[in-house]
């Protein structure tokens, strides 16, 4: 009824502003000031609409015009300051975006959106930075809100595709990029992202195909090329690093595999597969503490039976690694046969035998004697199937249960290497294989010389006989015994003291005489 009344247009603009329809309100506010350029409220409403839509420069011009008409207007003064603040936030955000300081850009956009709540441009910038920061759900929420209001918004379509791209949903991401390019063919960011997504997808698929075909070198090259396409795609690159780590493990480049898995974990610390792959590589390189740490991380995240078993295995290997490595002492593989173990034992025993180092310094002799004892101890464990099984399974080798016996005397087992001297004859069992079954002598049971000779002959101990310097008579109880286990050695020493004491008292028993008779028979037979 009154098409030329500025107040009517101004009032309708105010109503539309309260409804959040700022674009429609802007038209009415502009019409009101065209009809009456001195209409202060019209200029204020026009500036407010411009500011809400993110056009801070236009808003500042409107507020400045209002101040020219009424320089004491408090609302105009405050809105003018708000417009300047938005302009400043925009400048800071633009600089920080180039520096890739996305967190600060998000902060600036949040502050700017307090004054410009209807600005799609600020929301898009914020959403893009959220996507770059890996906060994909928030970014998708912002982009989806814009698309509900404007389904043809190319920027929102681009951000939606970017979130999918960074979540490793490359096929869906390409669809959104293509749609954004349909809405805006010159959209540079969508064009670059679409090209990268297609190239990344192709390289990754080619690498997977080469891996399945067993062409590990080609797979390594393809995964490496894929990693160079887009360093910002953290999730996909984490998978590529893990895949390349798997290839390196197949090529037995375990250190490189560990490095690739570590890079994968740095990019995505929730990537269970990378932890499992790295833990296995640690196990293969005998870095058991690191393996246990990775398996603990996995089990804390996913408490499955499989992961629990992997953790137990790693803990067992860690426990075993802190004991003496008998395989390493003998220089054999863990899968070595019984013959290989015997052969290695003889070789190492000869290498470290004290007689070979009699002319060396005291320090060298002590070190070689220590190694010699370790060789005997290692062989005693690994040559016995039951003890070897216990050792391999990581069970504790307690003193009583694991006293390795070569020959048992009353008073305690004598372990490993035995050396006897009597009446000008020496016997060295160090170069011989210990018995498969240990003969045991107890106070309640006697073993005949014939039985003992049979046992010794079956052990091929006669090969270990050699001539030596004249020694004291055996009847004096002067038996020299070297035991490779501390517990066994101590018990033998106690027995020797008992024999010597009882001989001096003339009370030595018949059982000890049987042992002496046996030793005489063995040495006599060997001399023959």
């Amino acid at each position: 009824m009154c098409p030329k009344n500025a107040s009517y247009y101004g009032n309708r603009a105010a109503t539309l502003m309260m409804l959040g329809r700022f674009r429609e309100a802007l038209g009415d506010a502009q019409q009101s000031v065209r009809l009456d350029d001195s209409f202060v409220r019209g200029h204020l409403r026009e500036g407010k609409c411009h500011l809400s839509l993110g056009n801070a420069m236009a808003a500042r011009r409107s507020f400045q015009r209002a101040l020219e008409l009424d320089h004491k207007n408090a609302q105009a003064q405050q809105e003018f300051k708000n417009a300047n603040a938005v302009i400043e936030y925009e400048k800071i955000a633009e600089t920080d975006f180039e520096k890739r300081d996305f967190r600060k850009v998000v902060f600036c956009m949040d502050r700017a959106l307090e004054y410009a709540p209807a600005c799609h441009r600020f929301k898009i910038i914020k959403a893009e930075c959220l996507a770059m920061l890996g906060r994909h759900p928030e970014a998708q929420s912002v982009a989806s809100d814009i698309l509900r209001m404007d389904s043809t918004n190319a920027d929102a379509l681009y951000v939606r595709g970017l979130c999918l791209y960074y979540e490793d949903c490359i096929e869906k991401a390409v669809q959104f990029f293509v749609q954004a390019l349909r809405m805006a063919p010159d959209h540079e960011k969508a064009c670059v992202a679409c090209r990268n997504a297609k190239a990344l997808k192709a390289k990754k698929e080619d690498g997977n195909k080469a891996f399945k075909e067993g062409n590990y070198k080609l797979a390594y090259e393809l995964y490496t090329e894929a990693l160079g396409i887009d360093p910002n795609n953290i999730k996909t690159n984490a998978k590529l690093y893990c895949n390349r780590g798997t290839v390196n493990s197949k090529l037995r480049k375990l250190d490189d595999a560990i490095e690739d898995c570590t890079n994968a974990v740095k990019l995505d610390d929730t990537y269970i597969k990378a932890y499992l792959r790295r833990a296995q590589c640690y196990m293969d390189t005998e870095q058991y503490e690191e393996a246990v740490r990775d398996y603990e991380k996995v089990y804390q995240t996913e408490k499955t039976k499989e992961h629990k078993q992997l953790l137990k295995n790693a803990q067992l290997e860690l426990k075993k690694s802190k004991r003496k490595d008998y395989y390493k002492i003998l220089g054999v593989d863990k899968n070595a046969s019984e013959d290989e173990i015997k052969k290695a034992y003889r070789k190492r025993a000869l290498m470290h035998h004290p007689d070979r180092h009699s002319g060396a310094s005291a320090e060298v002799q002590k070190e070689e004697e220590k190694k010699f004892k370790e060789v005997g101890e290692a062989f005693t464990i690994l040559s016995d199937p039951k003890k070897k099984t216990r050792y391999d399974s990581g069970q504790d080798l307690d003193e009583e249960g694991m006293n390795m016996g070569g020959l048992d005397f009353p008073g305690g087992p004598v372990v490993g290497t035995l050396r006897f001297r009597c009446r000008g004859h020496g016997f060295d069992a160090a170069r011989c294989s210990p018995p498969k079954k240990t003969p045991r002598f107890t106070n309640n049971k006697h073993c005949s010389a014939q039985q003992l000779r049979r046992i010794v002959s079956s052990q091929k101990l006669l090969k270990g006989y050699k001539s030596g310097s004249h020694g004291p008579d055996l009847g004096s109880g002067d038996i020299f015994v070297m035991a490779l286990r501390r517990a066994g050695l101590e018990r033998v020493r106690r027995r020797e003291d008992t024999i010597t004491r009882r001989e001096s008292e003339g009370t030595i028993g018949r059982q000890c005489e049987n042992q002496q008779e046996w030793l005489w028979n063995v040495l006599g037979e060997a001399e023959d």
Side-chain angles (χ1 to χ4, degrees):
M1 296 178 66
C2 299
K4 294 186 178 181
N5 191 318
S7 296
Y8 288 168
Y9 283 104
N11 291 341
R12 190 167 72 176
T15 303
L16 291 170
M17 288 171 65
M18 285 188 285
L19 293 173
R21 295 158 61 178
F22 292 102
R23 290 195 181 279
E24 297 176 58
L26 178 60
D28 281 347
Q30 288 175 331
Q31 182 62 23
S32 69
V33 297
R34 276 196 293 269
L35 294 173
D36 183 2
D37 186 55
S38 63
F39 187 29
V40 176
R41 288 186 179 180
H43 287 292
L44 286 173
R45 287 165 183 158
E46 180 186 10
K48 186 67 175 176
C49 288
H50 278 306
L51 186 60
S52 296
L53 293 171
N55 192 349
M57 294 296 293
R60 188 168 68 173
R61 287 194 295 268
S62 296
F63 296 137
Q64 192 170 6
R65 176 59 182 158
L67 287 172
E68 288 174 359
L69 296 172
D70 183 5
H71 68 277
K72 293 183 179 181
N73 191 302
Q75 183 182 359
Q77 292 173 354
Q78 184 59 48
E79 294 294 350
F80 185 78
K81 290 179 181 179
N82 293 344
N84 285 331
V86 171
I87 291 171
E88 187 64 24
Y89 284 133
E90 281 190 82
K91 290 180 180 178
I92 296 172
E94 184 178 358
T95 302
D96 290 332
F97 192 92
E98 292 177 357
K99 294 179 180 178
R100 304 187 66 79
D101 189 353
F102 301 119
R103 293 183 185 278
K104 197 168 182 181
V105 175
V106 171
F107 172 81
C108 290
M109 290 300 98
D110 281 337
R111 300 288 80 75
L113 284 167
E114 291 176 0
Y115 305 111
C119 181
H120 288 179
R121 183 166 56 87
F122 291 168
K123 291 179 180 179
I124 291 295
I125 294 172
K126 176 185 175 180
E128 184 177 358
C129 290
L130 288 171
M132 300 296 282
L133 291 170
R135 295 160 64 178
H136 304 129
E138 297 175 65
Q140 288 189 45
S141 178
V142 174
S144 297
D145 289 341
I146 296 173
L147 289 172
R148 276 194 290 272
M149 292 182 285
D150 181 9
S151 61
T152 63
N153 190 304
D155 290 327
L157 290 169
Y158 160 71
V159 171
R160 187 77 176 85
L162 193 65
C163 292
L164 293 169
Y165 172 62
Y166 286 149
E167 287 181 334
D168 200 36
C169 300
I170 297 179
E171 290 186 9
K172 291 183 178 180
V174 170
Q175 294 175 6
F176 276 94
F177 293 145
V178 170
Q179 192 175 353
L181 290 171
R182 286 175 185 164
M183 299 297 112
D186 58 345
H187 198 295
E188 185 178 352
K189 289 183 178 180
C191 183
V192 172
C194 187
R195 184 171 60 250
N196 287 343
K198 289 180 178 179
L200 195 57
K201 180 175 179 291
K203 289 290 183 184
K204 184 179 177 182
E205 288 178 351
D206 290 344
N208 293 342
K209 182 180 178 182
F211 180 81
K212 290 177 181 178
E213 292 174 352
N215 193 345
Y216 300 129
K217 290 186 178 180
L218 178 59
Y220 178 88
E221 293 174 0
L222 290 169
Y223 288 139
T224 303
E225 291 175 10
L227 283 166
I229 292 174
D230 185 4
N232 296 321
N233 195 330
I234 293 174
K235 203 157 191 176
T236 301
N237 286 345
K239 292 182 178 181
L240 289 170
Y241 271 120
C242 187
N243 289 353
R244 195 173 73 172
T246 304
V247 171
N248 278 323
S249 68
K250 292 291 184 181
L251 295 171
R252 304 311 298 168
K253 298 178 179 179
L254 297 178
D255 290 337
D256 292 340
I258 290 172
E259 183 180 356
D260 280 340
C261 292
T262 300
N263 288 331
V265 168
K266 286 179 180 178
L267 293 177
D268 184 2
D269 60 359
T270 64
Y271 193 14
I272 297 298
K273 189 175 180 180
Y275 282 109
L276 289 172
R277 173 60 58 191
R278 186 172 69 174
Q280 184 57 55
C281 291
Y282 280 139
M283 292 289 285
D284 293 339
T285 55
E286 299 183 358
Q287 300 180 60
Y288 299 119
E289 290 186 5
E290 290 79 0
V292 168
R293 185 177 62 245
D294 279 355
Y295 282 132
E296 285 178 343
K297 171 73 174 178
V298 171
Y299 185 64
Q300 289 172 1
T301 306
E302 295 182 1
K303 294 180 184 263
T304 65
K305 290 183 180 180
E306 182 184 359
H307 295 160
K308 185 177 182 180
Q309 187 59 47
L310 288 170
L311 176 58
K312 283 186 175 181
N313 292 342
Q315 290 172 337
L316 176 61
E317 291 299 326
L318 175 60
K319 180 181 177 182
K320 289 163 63 176
S321 69
K322 292 182 178 180
R323 304 179 309 175
K324 288 183 181 179
D325 188 344
Y326 292 137
Y327 292 102
K328 187 175 181 180
I329 290 172
L330 291 183
V332 296
D333 186 74
K334 292 183 178 181
N335 298 319
S337 65
E338 185 177 351
D339 290 338
E340 290 174 334
I341 290 173
K342 288 181 179 179
K343 184 177 179 181
Y345 164 69
R346 294 190 183 100
K347 180 180 178 181
R348 293 296 174 116
L350 287 172
M351 183 186 303
H352 300 295
H353 195 283
D355 289 349
R356 295 190 57 153
H357 303 279
S358 58
S361 63
E363 184 178 349
V364 172
Q365 288 182 357
K366 186 176 180 180
E367 182 65 25
E368 291 300 324
E369 183 179 349
K370 179 182 177 182
K371 292 179 180 179
F372 181 65
K373 292 179 180 180
E374 289 179 345
V375 167
E377 183 179 343
F379 181 73
T380 305
I381 291 293
L382 300 182
S383 62
D384 187 308
K386 291 184 179 179
K387 295 172 183 175
K388 183 176 184 294
T389 300
R390 290 189 62 181
Y391 175 76
D392 289 341
S393 63
Q395 297 183 43
D396 291 331
L397 306 180
D398 54 63
E399 290 294 333
E400 184 174 354
M402 284 285 97
N403 273 330
M404 292 75 71
L407 301 173
D408 284 1
F409 285 89
V414 180
V415 185
T417 302
L418 302 180
R419 194 175 189 181
F420 309 103
R421 290 183 187 174
C422 59
R423 293 190 179 174
H425 302 295
F427 180 85
D428 193 341
R431 304 180 186 179
C432 308
S433 301
K436 294 183 178 178
K437 291 187 177 179
T438 301
R440 295 185 177 274
F441 304 89
T442 64
N443 292 326
N444 300 320
K445 183 179 178 181
H446 291 252
C447 187
S448 68
Q450 183 179 1
Q451 290 174 315
L452 293 172
R453 283 197 298 270
R454 186 168 61 252
I455 293 172
V456 173
S457 298
S458 67
Q459 299 167 26
K460 300 182 181 179
L461 287 175
L462 300 181
K463 291 184 178 179
Y465 169 78
K466 69 173 186 177
S467 298
S469 60
H470 291 276
D473 186 272
L474 184 62
S476 66
D478 191 1
I479 303 174
F480 297 87
V481 180
M482 181 184 296
L484 297 184
R485 288 284 285 182
R486 291 190 300 274
L489 178 61
E490 187 62 30
R491 295 175 73 177
V492 169
R493 284 174 178 167
R494 291 200 300 270
R495 181 55 189 164
E496 290 174 351
D497 294 340
T498 302
I499 292 173
T500 304
R501 177 174 52 76
R502 292 173 67 186
E503 281 195 328
S504 65
E505 297 171 358
T507 58
I508 190 164
R510 175 62 184 162
Q511 187 178 10
C512 184
E513 294 172 9
N514 285 339
Q515 294 174 30
Q516 295 170 8
E517 179 185 354
W518 168 70
L519 288 172
W520 272 114
N521 288 330
V522 170
L523 295 175
E525 203 171 83
E527 189 174 20
D528 293 339

